[in-house]
Amino acid sequence: MYSSHNYLKRKTPETGVNRQEFIAHLIEEYYTTTNVEAQEQVSANLANFAYDPINWDYLKSAEGLKLFVELLQTPNENLQLYGIAGLCNICLDKQSHDFILQKAHLKFIQTLLVKTENLEITLNILTLIYQLLTSLDAGYDKAFILTIDILKKIKFYCHSVKDQRIINISTLILEDFAQRHEFVELKDVATRLLSSKKMPPAAPYPEVKVIKRFTQIELDQFSQLTGDKNIVHSSSLPIEERRVHGAFLNAIVAGIIGTKFPGPGTIVLEQRFAFLKPCRLETDTEICIRLLKARKISLISYECMQNQRVIFQGEAKLLLTAINE
């Protein structure tokens, strides 16, 4: 149950310490005491305070968020639990949400999820991840949160743990955020291509796969942007007869090239492609991009499939430039 300022005022004696000062004292106590049990008790209290929105500003002003992140880095599982519980409780606050998504802070959370065997810590991290994903700003790439290692771990939880709470939240994350945006593991592909003149002859072609499902809302937005209001793209036809714009489909491929594989800094020099079958709405579309030649000017092939049939395929020459991390 949440508190109000009037309620806190009524419950605090005139000579008593107000909530803001009390939270600041708790954080100071954590840093000054050498007693582990005292640190655990303080951390547990702070995590509980983070549950009530009335305390969020107090925690932020006293650098409680910084303490929660530091707790994740300790070897003490109790402190780790209180740290992640505090972040989970406060993450719906916009400033706290942005703080947690900072690269270094997110890395501590991801590392802990991969390493921990404590189910309560795991549950809190998964809950935090779900809440972060549901409130992302437009344009933030979910792949920064759902890295390959994290996706593998979440899939493991779906099938290899007996805790139904963890199974449920893992399933939700995969169904809501990962099912149609899952990439194969590629680490610094473009960097490696730039630093090597050619690939070993026997090496398999690196590739990336994305599964996307087109919606009528997306088609309407694309039609509005381009002026292509051909009836075959409109809701006036039965859904099974509607077609995704060919240019829209090609743009999705270009987006993957420019952001995922090879990634930022890539410039498309030339394309050849063919539309073999109509691309339908509300159907899983598997987009696969493969590297054929690894040079400064590289060659890729790509294909899009629906229901195990190729609907769009092509090749592109790419200029690989330096990548901004």
Side-chain angles (χ1 to χ4, degrees):
M1 183 175 180
Y2 300 144
S3 306
S4 67
H5 289 286
N6 288 335
Y7 173 81
L8 293 180
K9 188 175 181 179
R10 290 197 309 270
K11 298 295 287 185
T12 303
E14 291 185 6
T15 58
V17 178
N18 66 33
R19 183 67 65 88
Q20 184 173 10
E21 293 175 351
F22 183 64
I23 288 175
H25 286 324
L26 284 176
I27 293 175
E28 182 180 0
E29 181 182 351
Y30 175 86
Y31 286 114
T32 55
T33 184
T34 57
N35 185 292
V36 175
E37 290 185 4
Q39 289 182 324
E40 291 178 351
Q41 184 60 56
V42 165
S43 302
N45 288 337
L46 290 170
N48 287 332
F49 278 130
Y51 176 75
D52 193 334
I54 201 171
N55 298 319
W56 290 352
D57 286 339
Y58 305 151
L59 284 163
K60 289 185 292 183
S61 64
E63 296 192 328
L65 289 169
K66 178 182 176 183
L67 174 57
F68 289 148
V69 172
E70 289 180 10
L71 295 178
L72 306 183
Q73 304 166 59
T74 69
N76 184 315
E77 284 194 342
N78 288 332
L79 294 178
Q80 292 173 356
L81 176 58
Y82 302 142
I84 197 63
L87 293 175
C88 189
N89 285 338
I90 203 173
C91 72
L92 294 181
D93 171 74
K94 182 63 171 65
Q95 288 182 328
S96 303
H97 179 275
D98 294 343
F99 176 88
I100 295 168
L101 286 179
Q102 290 180 28
K103 185 176 180 180
H105 303 155
L106 193 59
K107 185 66 175 178
F108 290 132
I109 295 168
Q110 293 166 328
T111 300
L112 183 57
L113 179 62
V114 172
K115 292 183 177 180
T116 188
E117 296 181 359
N118 184 302
L119 295 183
E120 293 303 319
I121 294 175
T122 298
L123 180 63
N124 276 272
I125 296 177
L126 293 174
T127 303
L128 173 61
I129 286 175
Y130 187 84
Q131 292 185 112
L132 292 174
L133 290 168
T134 57
S135 53
L136 286 178
D137 292 333
Y140 188 95
D141 192 342
K142 295 180 179 66
F144 286 112
I145 300 175
L146 293 178
T147 64
I148 296 301
D149 288 339
I150 296 302
L151 282 171
K152 288 179 179 178
K153 196 70 174 180
I154 293 174
K155 285 185 175 181
F156 169 80
Y157 292 139
C158 286
H159 306 291
S160 304
V161 298
K162 296 181 180 179
D163 191 312
Q164 193 60 48
R165 300 170 303 166
I166 292 178
I167 295 173
N168 291 343
I169 190 67
S170 298
T171 302
L172 275 176
I173 292 172
L174 292 179
E175 289 182 348
D176 291 354
F177 301 105
Q179 189 174 16
R180 298 185 177 90
H181 301 276
E182 187 172 335
F183 300 93
V184 299
E185 185 165 12
L186 290 166
K187 297 183 179 178
D188 301 322
V189 173
T191 302
R192 287 191 285 107
L193 297 183
L194 288 170
S195 61
S196 61
K197 294 183 178 180
K198 61 181 180 179
M199 295 175 61
Y205 293 141
E207 67 177 30
V208 63
K209 291 183 180 179
V210 180
I211 298 178
K212 177 174 176 57
R213 181 171 289 211
F214 292 92
T215 67
Q216 186 60 50
I217 292 176
E218 291 177 323
L219 262 63
D220 292 341
Q221 292 173 338
F222 191 81
S223 294
Q224 185 66 30
L225 178 65
T226 61
D228 182 358
K229 298 183 179 180
N230 190 325
I231 191 174
V232 298
H233 310 308
S234 74
S235 57
S236 60
L237 292 180
I239 191 169
E240 63 272 10
E241 296 181 16
R242 298 176 217 167
R243 298 172 178 234
V244 175
H245 305 72
F248 188 14
L249 187 56
N250 190 48
I252 296 296
V253 172
I256 298 169
I257 291 171
T259 61
K260 295 297 177 187
F261 181 68
T266 303
I267 298 173
V268 177
L269 299 177
E270 180 182 320
Q271 278 185 287
R272 293 185 303 166
F273 52 79
F275 300 100
L276 305 180
K277 295 182 181 297
C279 180
R280 301 302 186 186
L281 274 65
E282 301 298 345
T283 303
D284 282 352
T285 306
E286 181 180 293
I287 304 166
C288 179
I289 300 176
R290 297 184 181 89
L291 178 69
L292 301 181
K293 293 180 180 179
R295 300 191 179 102
K296 180 72 173 180
I297 296 180
S298 296
L299 179 66
I300 64 165
S301 68
Y302 51 88
E303 64 181 19
C304 301
M305 300 182 65
Q306 286 185 336
N307 299 319
Q308 305 300 316
R309 298 184 302 175
V310 177
I311 59 172
F312 176 54
Q313 65 182 15
E315 291 185 348
K317 290 183 179 180
L318 310 176
L319 174 63
L320 301 184
T321 64
I323 299 175
N324 294 326
E325 185 174 345

